[in-house]
Amino acid sequence: MPPVETSARFRTGRIALYLTLTAISLVMIVPFVWMLLTSVKTPGDIAAVPPRLFPTEWAFGNYADALRAAPFATYARNSFVIAASHTVLNVVIASMAGYALARLRFRGSSLIFLAFVGALMIPTYTKILPEFLIVRFMPLFGGNDITGQGGTGWLDTWWALIIPGAVSPFSVFLFRQFYLDLPVELEEAARLDGLSELGIYARIMTPLVKPAFITVALLTFEGSWNNFLWPLLVTKSDSLRVIQVGLSVFRTENDTQWAFLMAGTTLATVPMVVLFLIGQRYFVQGFATAGIK
Amino acid sequence: MSGTMVSTRDRVRAAASGPSAPPPRRRGLLRARRRAGLLMVAPAVLHALIWIGIPLVAAIVLSFTSYDVLTPPRFIGLENFRDLLSDSVFRRAVLNTSIYTFFTVPVAMGISLLIALMLNTQLAGRAIFRTAIFIPQVTATIAVALVWLWIYDPRSGLANAVLSFLGLDGPAWLSSTDWAMPAVIVVGIWQGIGLKMLIYLAALQSLPTELYEAASVDGASKFRQFFSLTLPLLRPATFFVFVTSVIGAFQSFDQVYILTDGGPANSTTMMTYEIYKSAFREFRMGYACAQSLVLFALLLFLTLLNRRITGGDRATR
């Protein structure tokens, strides 16, 4: 750094920069702090005008009360089961497809790739209603006959929550990009050693794209945990409700119980924030890669 | 081992040199590769056919019908689309979606770029700032919206507390036809900044430093460097951020569902919200499909238009 830069003007600029960034960061973080602090306030503190930042009395019992008022533990477990299933299915199926599209030439492969890219452009809201109808009229499930009539199909079942989200075209796309960059020599050498194509994928190439796996896994888990409308549409029973839907229902049923609501919201938020902090490098890399490539 | 390598190369050359059939072993390998490729892509293709292909075709077909789930669909031609033209609430939803997108995309992009530029300096604690700004992005919109619902509470919320501290009288944010939309937009900007900032930051960090050194030597000011170098070089990133953000903004649903339910007086209803309402509250499935196709058409139009204007995503891969 040249010595001129340590001038007073430079130092003022630095201070301004830090102040601005601190202010922005505060604006981003304050709602979370507010959520955490509200979740341990008594009704009296919550109703206080003007509102107090810190509770006068720390009501940690709100969490136990919230868990009694609504089965948040069950909701969280359901969300976890769904997000974990989506992650495993997506990583396995999408990586295979991404690998095949990146490295194996076969009839129709470029057409299939184009179709996946096209699928990225179809809005969720154009698909969601027919998807709902497919679930509703799934033949031979939930009392439906072979034509899909008579029962409720996959509605209110794990099938509806897990299967439609099992593979996303975006994951296929992302995996393909990662597999494209691997050297051809590796593949050729393995082939000459008599390894099968599936073996080359599973034992040679895939271990080299571990970051891709972690990226897709984190993004899938996050998307699935945060999903709201689909689980809202396809489930009715409390035992299958996911945490985001549980929260939204809690709002309309207990309009004013902010402390419980914020306790539940904290329970729904903290796992994702912790996962983000642990996997930050990959989250950031994944989002950035998706953005640049 | 090296002998095998040479012979493989010969075979490849032979296969490439003319239409004559490749030797049997080579053909067997190619067939195995093709079969493996099809096999590996099959589950994903099957899934996409059922959950993307069929729904898309079904949406188009159903948009020409009147369908309430309980009785079979009835073909009504273009009636749904004619009704759409005279549906003032849907028109309002299109307008609201456009306003929301206009403010949450370009405005947030500007802010994100500024933050990215600030963070793209030698700075202690850069990771902490980046993390703080990115966290709203990984948090569920439902959770985020519930917290903001509380912030916007007119009596005990944080927003009006801050305003009254400044000596101002805050509005009843979410129940005011004037303020509900701005309130929803603020949440959209707040949540979306992190991702845009991150993509810009990644793009900034991959810019060639030599160009800047050369520009400095030539005496170009920082200001000049930004407009003549940085902005043009960021074009692929800008294209990507813009397209994905517009697609995202056009499909916002969760925050409206929690914050305002489309109200007051339809002042915050969005296209997605109208689709949801037609389909799952009024059970007008055919009409909802027609609405969803309008959404699709608008997104497609905007994407193609942007590709045209910015010269496309040539440089993005």
mmCIF file of all heavy atoms in Angstrom, chain B residues 110-142:
data_model
loop_
_atom_site.group_PDB
_atom_site.id
_atom_site.type_symbol
_atom_site.label_atom_id
_atom_site.label_comp_id
_atom_site.label_asym_id
_atom_site.label_seq_id
_atom_site.Cartn_x
_atom_site.Cartn_y
_atom_site.Cartn_z
ATOM 1 N N GLY B 110 -28.986 -2.114 -7.276
ATOM 2 C CA GLY B 110 -28.107 -0.973 -7.036
ATOM 3 C C GLY B 110 -27.483 -1.026 -5.658
ATOM 4 O O GLY B 110 -26.261 -0.888 -5.495
ATOM 5 N N ILE B 111 -28.331 -1.257 -4.646
ATOM 6 C CA ILE B 111 -27.827 -1.334 -3.269
ATOM 7 C C ILE B 111 -26.821 -2.478 -3.146
ATOM 8 O O ILE B 111 -25.739 -2.332 -2.563
ATOM 9 C CB ILE B 111 -28.996 -1.557 -2.277
ATOM 10 C CG1 ILE B 111 -29.994 -0.391 -2.367
ATOM 11 C CG2 ILE B 111 -28.472 -1.705 -0.857
ATOM 12 C CD1 ILE B 111 -31.249 -0.608 -1.548
ATOM 13 N N SER B 112 -27.159 -3.633 -3.738
ATOM 14 C CA SER B 112 -26.280 -4.804 -3.630
ATOM 15 C C SER B 112 -24.927 -4.533 -4.259
ATOM 16 O O SER B 112 -23.890 -4.928 -3.724
ATOM 17 C CB SER B 112 -26.887 -6.013 -4.316
ATOM 18 O OG SER B 112 -28.216 -6.147 -3.985
ATOM 19 N N LEU B 113 -24.949 -3.859 -5.411
ATOM 20 C CA LEU B 113 -23.689 -3.571 -6.090
ATOM 21 C C LEU B 113 -22.832 -2.644 -5.224
ATOM 22 O O LEU B 113 -21.622 -2.854 -5.072
ATOM 23 C CB LEU B 113 -23.956 -2.953 -7.465
ATOM 24 C CG LEU B 113 -22.717 -2.569 -8.282
ATOM 25 C CD1 LEU B 113 -21.809 -3.768 -8.469
ATOM 26 C CD2 LEU B 113 -23.116 -2.011 -9.641
ATOM 27 N N LEU B 114 -23.480 -1.629 -4.619
ATOM 28 C CA LEU B 114 -22.739 -0.720 -3.737
ATOM 29 C C LEU B 114 -22.110 -1.482 -2.572
ATOM 30 O O LEU B 114 -20.930 -1.297 -2.257
ATOM 31 C CB LEU B 114 -23.672 0.372 -3.197
ATOM 32 C CG LEU B 114 -23.940 1.530 -4.146
ATOM 33 C CD1 LEU B 114 -24.933 2.505 -3.528
ATOM 34 C CD2 LEU B 114 -22.616 2.249 -4.454
ATOM 35 N N ILE B 115 -22.904 -2.362 -1.965
ATOM 36 C CA ILE B 115 -22.372 -3.128 -0.834
ATOM 37 C C ILE B 115 -21.232 -4.024 -1.303
ATOM 38 O O ILE B 115 -20.194 -4.131 -0.647
ATOM 39 C CB ILE B 115 -23.484 -3.975 -0.177
ATOM 40 C CG1 ILE B 115 -24.588 -3.070 0.384
ATOM 41 C CG2 ILE B 115 -22.920 -4.832 0.943
ATOM 42 C CD1 ILE B 115 -25.783 -3.817 0.913
ATOM 43 N N ALA B 116 -21.422 -4.659 -2.473
ATOM 44 C CA ALA B 116 -20.379 -5.544 -2.992
ATOM 45 C C ALA B 116 -19.086 -4.764 -3.231
ATOM 46 O O ALA B 116 -17.993 -5.242 -2.912
ATOM 47 C CB ALA B 116 -20.846 -6.222 -4.274
ATOM 48 N N LEU B 117 -19.218 -3.545 -3.757
ATOM 49 C CA LEU B 117 -18.021 -2.719 -3.986
ATOM 50 C C LEU B 117 -17.347 -2.387 -2.657
ATOM 51 O O LEU B 117 -16.125 -2.431 -2.543
ATOM 52 C CB LEU B 117 -18.405 -1.428 -4.719
ATOM 53 C CG LEU B 117 -18.763 -1.583 -6.200
ATOM 54 C CD1 LEU B 117 -19.383 -0.298 -6.727
ATOM 55 C CD2 LEU B 117 -17.539 -1.958 -7.021
ATOM 56 N N MET B 118 -18.156 -2.078 -1.645
ATOM 57 C CA MET B 118 -17.591 -1.770 -0.325
ATOM 58 C C MET B 118 -16.877 -2.979 0.245
ATOM 59 O O MET B 118 -15.828 -2.867 0.867
ATOM 60 C CB MET B 118 -18.693 -1.306 0.622
ATOM 61 C CG MET B 118 -19.211 0.085 0.327
ATOM 62 S SD MET B 118 -20.205 0.692 1.695
ATOM 63 C CE MET B 118 -21.839 0.260 1.174
ATOM 64 N N LEU B 119 -17.475 -4.160 0.030
ATOM 65 C CA LEU B 119 -16.882 -5.374 0.608
ATOM 66 C C LEU B 119 -15.701 -5.882 -0.210
ATOM 67 O O LEU B 119 -14.939 -6.713 0.252
ATOM 68 C CB LEU B 119 -17.937 -6.478 0.717
ATOM 69 C CG LEU B 119 -18.960 -6.323 1.835
ATOM 70 C CD1 LEU B 119 -19.943 -7.470 1.811
ATOM 71 C CD2 LEU B 119 -18.271 -6.262 3.185
ATOM 72 N N ASN B 120 -15.556 -5.384 -1.433
ATOM 73 C CA ASN B 120 -14.464 -5.839 -2.288
ATOM 74 C C ASN B 120 -13.198 -5.018 -2.047
ATOM 75 O O ASN B 120 -12.466 -4.700 -2.944
ATOM 76 C CB ASN B 120 -14.879 -5.740 -3.761
ATOM 77 C CG ASN B 120 -13.913 -6.475 -4.668
ATOM 78 O OD1 ASN B 120 -13.354 -7.484 -4.268
ATOM 79 N ND2 ASN B 120 -13.702 -5.952 -5.862
ATOM 80 N N THR B 121 -12.967 -4.639 -0.792
ATOM 81 C CA THR B 121 -11.751 -3.907 -0.444
ATOM 82 C C THR B 121 -11.039 -4.677 0.655
ATOM 83 O O THR B 121 -11.620 -5.581 1.258
ATOM 84 C CB THR B 121 -12.087 -2.500 0.079
ATOM 85 O OG1 THR B 121 -13.140 -2.628 1.037
ATOM 86 C CG2 THR B 121 -12.531 -1.587 -1.032
ATOM 87 N N GLN B 122 -9.786 -4.334 0.884
ATOM 88 C CA GLN B 122 -9.054 -4.956 1.989
ATOM 89 C C GLN B 122 -9.690 -4.455 3.268
ATOM 90 O O GLN B 122 -9.557 -3.305 3.617
ATOM 91 C CB GLN B 122 -7.571 -4.556 1.934
ATOM 92 C CG GLN B 122 -6.861 -5.067 0.705
ATOM 93 C CD GLN B 122 -6.844 -6.580 0.639
ATOM 94 O OE1 GLN B 122 -6.705 -7.241 1.672
ATOM 95 N NE2 GLN B 122 -7.000 -7.148 -0.548
ATOM 96 N N LEU B 123 -10.391 -5.356 3.942
ATOM 97 C CA LEU B 123 -11.227 -4.901 5.039
ATOM 98 C C LEU B 123 -11.213 -5.974 6.114
ATOM 99 O O LEU B 123 -11.481 -7.134 5.821
ATOM 100 C CB LEU B 123 -12.650 -4.725 4.497
ATOM 101 C CG LEU B 123 -13.614 -3.850 5.239
ATOM 102 C CD1 LEU B 123 -13.185 -2.402 5.113
ATOM 103 C CD2 LEU B 123 -15.000 -4.014 4.641
ATOM 104 N N ALA B 124 -10.903 -5.569 7.334
ATOM 105 C CA ALA B 124 -11.002 -6.542 8.416
ATOM 106 C C ALA B 124 -12.475 -6.803 8.692
ATOM 107 O O ALA B 124 -13.287 -5.889 8.601
ATOM 108 C CB ALA B 124 -10.310 -6.008 9.664
ATOM 109 N N GLY B 125 -12.829 -8.032 8.987
ATOM 110 C CA GLY B 125 -14.207 -8.344 9.337
ATOM 111 C C GLY B 125 -15.131 -8.421 8.137
ATOM 112 O O GLY B 125 -16.347 -8.367 8.278
ATOM 113 N N ARG B 126 -14.541 -8.567 6.954
ATOM 114 C CA ARG B 126 -15.359 -8.650 5.753
ATOM 115 C C ARG B 126 -16.335 -9.824 5.815
ATOM 116 O O ARG B 126 -17.496 -9.706 5.446
ATOM 117 C CB ARG B 126 -14.442 -8.796 4.546
ATOM 118 C CG ARG B 126 -15.142 -8.654 3.250
ATOM 119 C CD ARG B 126 -14.160 -8.418 2.149
ATOM 120 N NE ARG B 126 -13.389 -9.635 1.870
ATOM 121 C CZ ARG B 126 -12.611 -9.765 0.792
ATOM 122 N NH1 ARG B 126 -12.477 -8.775 -0.044
ATOM 123 N NH2 ARG B 126 -11.963 -10.882 0.581
ATOM 124 N N ALA B 127 -15.833 -10.963 6.313
ATOM 125 C CA ALA B 127 -16.674 -12.162 6.372
ATOM 126 C C ALA B 127 -17.883 -11.947 7.280
ATOM 127 O O ALA B 127 -18.976 -12.439 7.002
ATOM 128 C CB ALA B 127 -15.857 -13.352 6.849
ATOM 129 N N ILE B 128 -17.673 -11.180 8.355
ATOM 130 C CA ILE B 128 -18.784 -10.950 9.289
ATOM 131 C C ILE B 128 -19.867 -10.118 8.620
ATOM 132 O O ILE B 128 -21.056 -10.436 8.694
ATOM 133 C CB ILE B 128 -18.265 -10.249 10.564
ATOM 134 C CG1 ILE B 128 -17.301 -11.186 11.293
ATOM 135 C CG2 ILE B 128 -19.416 -9.843 11.471
ATOM 136 C CD1 ILE B 128 -16.575 -10.553 12.448
ATOM 137 N N PHE B 129 -19.450 -9.042 7.928
ATOM 138 C CA PHE B 129 -20.429 -8.217 7.215
ATOM 139 C C PHE B 129 -21.174 -9.043 6.169
ATOM 140 O O PHE B 129 -22.389 -8.979 6.049
ATOM 141 C CB PHE B 129 -19.728 -7.045 6.508
ATOM 142 C CG PHE B 129 -19.192 -6.002 7.461
ATOM 143 C CD1 PHE B 129 -17.878 -5.567 7.371
ATOM 144 C CD2 PHE B 129 -20.012 -5.463 8.432
ATOM 145 C CE1 PHE B 129 -17.394 -4.600 8.245
ATOM 146 C CE2 PHE B 129 -19.533 -4.494 9.308
ATOM 147 C CZ PHE B 129 -18.216 -4.069 9.213
ATOM 148 N N ARG B 130 -20.416 -9.835 5.418
ATOM 149 C CA ARG B 130 -21.017 -10.638 4.364
ATOM 150 C C ARG B 130 -22.047 -11.608 4.936
ATOM 151 O O ARG B 130 -23.147 -11.760 4.419
ATOM 152 C CB ARG B 130 -19.922 -11.418 3.632
ATOM 153 C CG ARG B 130 -20.325 -11.946 2.290
ATOM 154 C CD ARG B 130 -19.262 -12.851 1.730
ATOM 155 N NE ARG B 130 -19.028 -13.966 2.637
ATOM 156 C CZ ARG B 130 -17.989 -14.791 2.551
ATOM 157 N NH1 ARG B 130 -17.076 -14.622 1.617
ATOM 158 N NH2 ARG B 130 -17.848 -15.800 3.401
ATOM 159 N N THR B 131 -21.666 -12.242 6.051
ATOM 160 C CA THR B 131 -22.580 -13.188 6.694
ATOM 161 C C THR B 131 -23.859 -12.489 7.147
ATOM 162 O O THR B 131 -24.965 -12.961 6.885
ATOM 163 C CB THR B 131 -21.888 -13.846 7.905
ATOM 164 O OG1 THR B 131 -20.701 -14.467 7.440
ATOM 165 C CG2 THR B 131 -22.790 -14.861 8.560
ATOM 166 N N ALA B 132 -23.692 -11.347 7.799
ATOM 167 C CA ALA B 132 -24.855 -10.626 8.328
ATOM 168 C C ALA B 132 -25.815 -10.278 7.194
ATOM 169 O O ALA B 132 -27.029 -10.433 7.320
ATOM 170 C CB ALA B 132 -24.403 -9.360 9.046
ATOM 171 N N ILE B 133 -25.261 -9.836 6.074
ATOM 172 C CA ILE B 133 -26.109 -9.398 4.966
ATOM 173 C C ILE B 133 -26.751 -10.593 4.256
ATOM 174 O O ILE B 133 -27.847 -10.502 3.723
ATOM 175 C CB ILE B 133 -25.285 -8.528 3.990
ATOM 176 C CG1 ILE B 133 -24.873 -7.242 4.698
ATOM 177 C CG2 ILE B 133 -26.064 -8.199 2.722
ATOM 178 C CD1 ILE B 133 -23.769 -6.474 4.011
ATOM 179 N N PHE B 134 -26.094 -11.729 4.319
ATOM 180 C CA PHE B 134 -26.614 -12.895 3.589
ATOM 181 C C PHE B 134 -27.645 -13.699 4.382
ATOM 182 O O PHE B 134 -28.463 -14.399 3.794
ATOM 183 C CB PHE B 134 -25.450 -13.800 3.173
ATOM 184 C CG PHE B 134 -25.850 -14.815 2.134
ATOM 185 C CD1 PHE B 134 -26.204 -14.410 0.853
ATOM 186 C CD2 PHE B 134 -25.901 -16.170 2.444
ATOM 187 C CE1 PHE B 134 -26.589 -15.337 -0.102
ATOM 188 C CE2 PHE B 134 -26.285 -17.098 1.491
ATOM 189 C CZ PHE B 134 -26.625 -16.681 0.215
ATOM 190 N N ILE B 135 -27.604 -13.614 5.700
ATOM 191 C CA ILE B 135 -28.465 -14.478 6.518
ATOM 192 C C ILE B 135 -29.967 -14.403 6.160
ATOM 193 O O ILE B 135 -30.629 -15.438 6.075
ATOM 194 C CB ILE B 135 -28.207 -14.255 8.030
ATOM 195 C CG1 ILE B 135 -26.997 -15.111 8.426
ATOM 196 C CG2 ILE B 135 -29.410 -14.618 8.867
ATOM 197 C CD1 ILE B 135 -26.679 -15.098 9.895
ATOM 198 N N PRO B 136 -30.544 -13.217 5.905
ATOM 199 C CA PRO B 136 -31.976 -13.223 5.553
ATOM 200 C C PRO B 136 -32.298 -14.094 4.344
ATOM 201 O O PRO B 136 -33.400 -14.615 4.221
ATOM 202 C CB PRO B 136 -32.253 -11.741 5.247
ATOM 203 C CG PRO B 136 -31.234 -10.995 6.026
ATOM 204 C CD PRO B 136 -30.006 -11.849 6.020
ATOM 205 N N GLN B 137 -31.314 -14.269 3.455
ATOM 206 C CA GLN B 137 -31.530 -15.063 2.260
ATOM 207 C C GLN B 137 -31.793 -16.536 2.568
ATOM 208 O O GLN B 137 -32.593 -17.181 1.896
ATOM 209 C CB GLN B 137 -30.299 -14.933 1.345
ATOM 210 C CG GLN B 137 -30.324 -15.787 0.109
ATOM 211 C CD GLN B 137 -31.335 -15.287 -0.901
ATOM 212 O OE1 GLN B 137 -31.469 -14.102 -1.116
ATOM 213 N NE2 GLN B 137 -32.060 -16.206 -1.520
ATOM 214 N N VAL B 138 -31.109 -17.079 3.571
ATOM 215 C CA VAL B 138 -31.289 -18.511 3.853
ATOM 216 C C VAL B 138 -32.447 -18.764 4.817
ATOM 217 O O VAL B 138 -32.768 -19.900 5.112
ATOM 218 C CB VAL B 138 -30.015 -19.171 4.442
ATOM 219 C CG1 VAL B 138 -28.934 -19.249 3.392
ATOM 220 C CG2 VAL B 138 -29.539 -18.462 5.673
ATOM 221 N N THR B 139 -33.059 -17.696 5.313
ATOM 222 C CA THR B 139 -34.157 -17.864 6.254
ATOM 223 C C THR B 139 -35.469 -17.946 5.495
ATOM 224 O O THR B 139 -35.658 -17.249 4.509
ATOM 225 C CB THR B 139 -34.182 -16.670 7.219
ATOM 226 O OG1 THR B 139 -32.861 -16.455 7.676
ATOM 227 C CG2 THR B 139 -35.081 -16.937 8.382
ATOM 228 N N ALA B 140 -36.362 -18.795 5.973
ATOM 229 C CA ALA B 140 -37.648 -18.964 5.297
ATOM 230 C C ALA B 140 -38.405 -17.650 5.230
ATOM 231 O O ALA B 140 -38.443 -16.888 6.196
ATOM 232 C CB ALA B 140 -38.483 -19.999 6.028
ATOM 233 N N THR B 141 -39.007 -17.378 4.070
ATOM 234 C CA THR B 141 -39.789 -16.160 3.904
ATOM 235 C C THR B 141 -40.943 -16.111 4.904
ATOM 236 O O THR B 141 -41.311 -15.041 5.383
ATOM 237 C CB THR B 141 -40.331 -16.075 2.469
ATOM 238 O OG1 THR B 141 -39.231 -16.263 1.579
ATOM 239 C CG2 THR B 141 -40.954 -14.732 2.194
ATOM 240 N N ILE B 142 -41.499 -17.278 5.220
ATOM 241 C CA ILE B 142 -42.587 -17.316 6.198
ATOM 242 C C ILE B 142 -42.113 -16.778 7.541
ATOM 243 O O ILE B 142 -42.740 -15.905 8.140
ATOM 244 C CB ILE B 142 -43.126 -18.756 6.355
ATOM 245 C CG1 ILE B 142 -43.826 -19.209 5.067
ATOM 246 C CG2 ILE B 142 -44.086 -18.868 7.539
ATOM 247 C CD1 ILE B 142 -45.053 -18.419 4.687
#
